[in-house]
Structure formats: C-alpha cells, structure tokens
C-alpha cells in the first residue's frame, strides 16, 4: 500500500483540520481541501484561472513527496518530511483549456493533481484562487511544450516545480511550430497575446521548426512577437533554442545541425541575440548553456538528457533533460532579475 493512504488516515486520526467543502467552492468561499482527494490523486472542480495550492506533507514515517498536475506538469519536486513532522509548501498553478498543448485535446475540466515521490505522504491540501499572481507565458515548440506522454518532456513542463507562490507558468508552446506558424495560427499567438497583463513575462523560444524561414522573415517575426508583448504591458524575454545532441568528430557541437543553422544558412541563435540587443530585450542564451553542458557530459553521458536510447531522438529531451534545462532557465531568470530570488526553489 502506498504511504499516501496511510498519511491521510493518520491526519484524520490526529485531528488535522481537513476541509469537507463541496467541490464547487471557489472565490469568496472556503478553500477546497483533502476531501477532493483519493489515493494518489486530487480533483478540484474549479473554473479556468490561476490557483494557489498549499500542501502539508508528512506522516508517522519519514516521507518524500512530489506533486504533478494537469498534463504532466511538475509542480513540486520531491520534498522530504522527517518521521512525525509536517512540511508545508505552496505553489501556484494555471488552469486552462486545452490544459496541455494549445492545439491538443481539451483535457479534463478543473484542476487535477497527482501525488508521487518515493514515499508519498499528503496530510492536507488547500486550493484557493490566486491573488496578484504573475504569469510566465511560454511561446515555443515541442522542446518547450507540455508533452502529453512519456518519455517526452519539454523544459516548460518542468519549470513550474522551481517556482514558488505567486509565479505561475502558462505554457502555450506547441509541437511543430515555427515563428511563421505560431503567428499565423489563431489558437496560438492570437490567443496568447490578449491574455498578457502588465508585468507578465513572456519567454519566446522558436527556432527548431524554422527550417525554411529566411533570415529577414525570421527576424521580422521575432520583432513582431516582442512588439506584441510590449503593447500589452508585458516583459518579452528571448530564449535561444536548446541544442540538438549532434556531435562533431572532435567531440564538440560545432556544426549547423547541433546549433540550429537552417538549410538557408540562417543562424537562429545569432539572429535571436541580434534582435535582443537591438530591441533591448532580456536574453536567455539557452543554446550556449546547453551546448556547454552537453559537451561537458560527452557523447555517452549526454544521452540521458535526450531520447537517444529510447527513440533515437537527439532533439527532444527526457524528463531528466527537461528538468535540467528548466533549471538553467530558472537560474537565468534570477540572474537577470526577471523574478525575485525568493520566489524560486533551488535544487
């Protein structure tokens, strides 16, 4: 039996204040609580929006609990609680439809959370509408998106676990999209742009699918995205693409395939850097960061970051790789003072 069930029983026995509020409770009503959970899962019948989730972890025995939600988003990393002690954590989650990729299926209404970890123990949970939450919108492709199934994972899918209360990831990255298709599809940029509020961050990583986009068009598309964010009062952040795991004979990634130079000779990372400098946009040089990491791990060690063994895929990342790359993005957000250091989790 998973320790989750034991912890729930123990919490009731010890008199922990557990909510029995109906699932329809939301703004202005008591928080939704543990009554909405069964062994290993919690479902909250809430409308679209952004919610703060406060969890109390721990039980009679030592425990290690993680939480994911919606379309495989990692919301809380595995968190330890010593035997007989309680640990409280709070995170903010975006509930939208479609709940995963914008061009994918609608998903399940409401908020769905899954309790995991090597020894899970959930003692209590509270879900309340978030107040003054700052959204981090993600505009990207399959290397960023909320991937629907194992073994794939985008770095945007893993980013929420690094963020604390008040910062929510709204991942509108979508598989197969280029700057051209993202701007042209009404379910993508035309949907995202009106949602941006003053102070929101919008991270843009589009390059992998701009294989036939010429340099002038690619640059103009990036500039259009930047302008659209600023017109809404948001803060654009340009992100160079993660590298492809494609080694040269000398053990480096110094080739066009790895570094996202398309068939027309357009050096995508270079264009992104240029636009960022010209338009005064913060830059996260994920190409440089991931290149250094992959080269340091070498041909064999870097396989675990991608789906080399599972699918002979050296473009898309595993859960491990996406988690590592999301950590690089977190570090850059803090270093560039785009989010307060106190709002992120380290490790």
């Amino acid at each position: 039996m998973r320790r989750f069930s034991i912890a729930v029983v123990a919490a009731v026995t010890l008199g922990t204040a557990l909510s029995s509020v109906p699932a329809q409770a939301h703004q202005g009503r008591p928080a939704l609580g543990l009554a909405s959970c069964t062994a290993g899962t919690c479902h909250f019948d809430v409308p679209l929006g952004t919610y703060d989730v406060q969890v109390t972890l721990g039980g009679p025995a030592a425990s290690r609990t993680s939480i994911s939600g919606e379309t495989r988003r990692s919301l809380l990393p595995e968190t330890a609680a010593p035997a007989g002690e309680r640990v409280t954590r709070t995170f903010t989650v975006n509930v939208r439809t479609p709940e995963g990729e914008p061009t994918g299926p609608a998903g399940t209404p409401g908020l769905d959370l899954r309790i995991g970890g090597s020894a899970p123990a959930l003692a209590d949970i509270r879900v309340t509408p978030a107040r003054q939450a700052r959204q981090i919108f993600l505009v990207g492709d399959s290397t960023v998106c909320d991937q629907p199934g194992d073994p794939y994972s985008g770095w945007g899918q893993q980013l929420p676990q690094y963020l604390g209360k008040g910062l929510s990831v709204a991942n509108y990255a979508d598989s197969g999209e280029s700057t051209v298709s993202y701007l042209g599809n009404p379910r993508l940029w035309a949907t995202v742009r009106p949602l941006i509020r003053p102070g929101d961050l919008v991270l843009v990583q589009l390059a992998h699918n701009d294989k036939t986009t010429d340099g002038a068009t690619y640059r103009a598309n990036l500039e259009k995205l930047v302008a659209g964010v600023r017109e809404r009062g948001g803060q654009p952040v340009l992100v160079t693409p993660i590298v492809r795991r494609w080694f040269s004979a000398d053990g480096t990634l110094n080739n066009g395939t790895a570094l996202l130079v398309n068939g027309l000779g357009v050096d995508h990372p270079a264009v992104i850097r240029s636009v960022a400098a010209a338009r005064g946009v913060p830059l996260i040089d994920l190409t440089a960061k991931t290149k250094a990491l992959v080269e340091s791990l070498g041909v064999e060690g870097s396989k675990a970051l991608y789906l080399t063994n599972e699918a002979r895929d050296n473009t898309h990342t595993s859960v491990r790789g996406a988690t590592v790359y999301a950590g690089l993005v977190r570090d850059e957000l803090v270093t560039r003072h785009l989010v307060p250091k106190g709002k992120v989790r380290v490790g």
Side-chain angles (χ1 to χ4, degrees):
M1 178 181 292
R2 290 168 65 83
R3 199 170 293 158
F4 173 86
S5 299
I6 297 173
V8 171
V9 174
V12 175
T13 303
L14 294 171
T16 304
L18 305 179
S19 172
S20 59
V21 178
Q24 289 75 20
H26 48 86
Q27 184 71 49
R29 299 180 182 178
L32 298 171
L34 201 58
S36 298
C37 301
T38 58
T41 64
C42 302
H43 173 76
F44 302 95
D45 186 16
V46 296
L48 304 180
T50 304
Y51 295 87
D52 291 331
V53 180
Q54 178 179 292
V55 294
T56 302
L57 309 174
S63 62
R64 297 187 65 87
T65 308
S66 62
I67 299 177
S68 61
E70 299 295 89
T71 303
R72 302 177 62 239
R73 301 180 214 162
S74 294
L75 301 171
L76 186 72
E78 191 167 87
T79 302
E85 297 186 18
R86 297 288 189 266
V87 173
T88 299
R89 295 288 185 270
T90 305
F91 55 86
T92 303
V93 60
N94 174 253
V95 177
R96 61 182 183 273
T97 186
E99 69 177 41
E101 296 182 79
T103 62
T108 305
L111 171 61
D112 290 291
L113 301 177
R114 286 167 289 282
I115 315 305
S118 55
L122 177 66
D124 198 10
I125 188 167
R126 292 287 187 272
V127 176
T128 55
R131 298 180 179 179
Q132 300 179 337
R134 186 185 188 192
Q135 298 284 9
I136 300 178
F137 289 93
L138 303 182
V139 170
D141 52 37
S142 58
T143 66
V144 184
C145 76
D146 288 348
Q147 290 280 359
D150 286 327
Y152 291 82
S153 181
W155 63 254
Q157 202 164 19
Q158 301 300 324
L159 185 61
Q161 67 184 297
Y162 290 123
L163 306 177
K165 179 182 178 182
L167 286 175
S168 171
V169 174
N171 191 352
Y172 283 85
D174 196 69
S175 293
E177 305 300 342
S178 65
T179 57
V180 176
S181 63
Y182 203 95
L183 284 166
N185 190 329
R187 290 179 291 179
L188 298 173
W189 184 236
T191 295
V192 176
R193 187 177 175 277
L195 301 175
I196 301 168
R197 299 172 302 180
D200 287 341
L201 289 177
V202 184
L203 276 58
V204 179
Q205 186 216 278
L206 287 167
H208 279 273
N209 300 299
D210 279 280
K211 298 180 178 69
T212 60
T213 309
D214 65 80
T217 301
Y218 185 65
R219 184 183 188 94
N221 288 344
L222 292 175
E223 291 174 339
K224 184 172 183 179
L225 289 164
V226 167
V229 174
R230 286 176 166 167
E231 287 164 3
R232 294 290 301 171
Q235 170 68 74
V237 180
L238 291 177
V239 183
T240 60
I242 67 169
V243 294
R244 296 189 180 103
R245 185 191 160 278
W246 193 270
F247 281 90
S248 299
D250 63 359
T252 71
L253 301 180
N254 296 329
N255 60 78
T257 299
L259 300 181
L260 283 295
V261 179
N262 75 7
L264 300 178
V266 179
D267 185 330
H268 294 104
V271 176
I272 295 169
R273 295 177 189 121
S274 175
V275 171
R279 300 296 177 180
V281 179
L283 173 74
I284 295 178
D285 199 341
L286 204 52
T287 305
K289 294 285 185 182
T290 55
K291 177 180 186 292
L293 177 59
V294 170
E295 287 181 342
S296 72
L297 292 172
V299 174
E300 289 303 316
S302 61
K303 288 180 178 178
L305 300 180
Y306 292 81
L307 297 171
T308 307
N309 294 327
E310 298 88 343
R312 296 184 181 180
D313 187 335
N314 292 299
T315 296
H316 298 97
T317 48
S318 62
V319 170
R320 177 178 173 181
T323 302
V324 171
Y325 288 176
L328 296 177
V329 173
R330 170 207 56 193
D331 294 345
E332 288 292 290
L333 290 174
V334 172
T335 298
R336 301 186 181 285
H337 306 289
L338 295 168
V339 299
K341 186 175 182 179
K343 288 284 189 179
V344 302
R345 297 187 180 93
V346 178

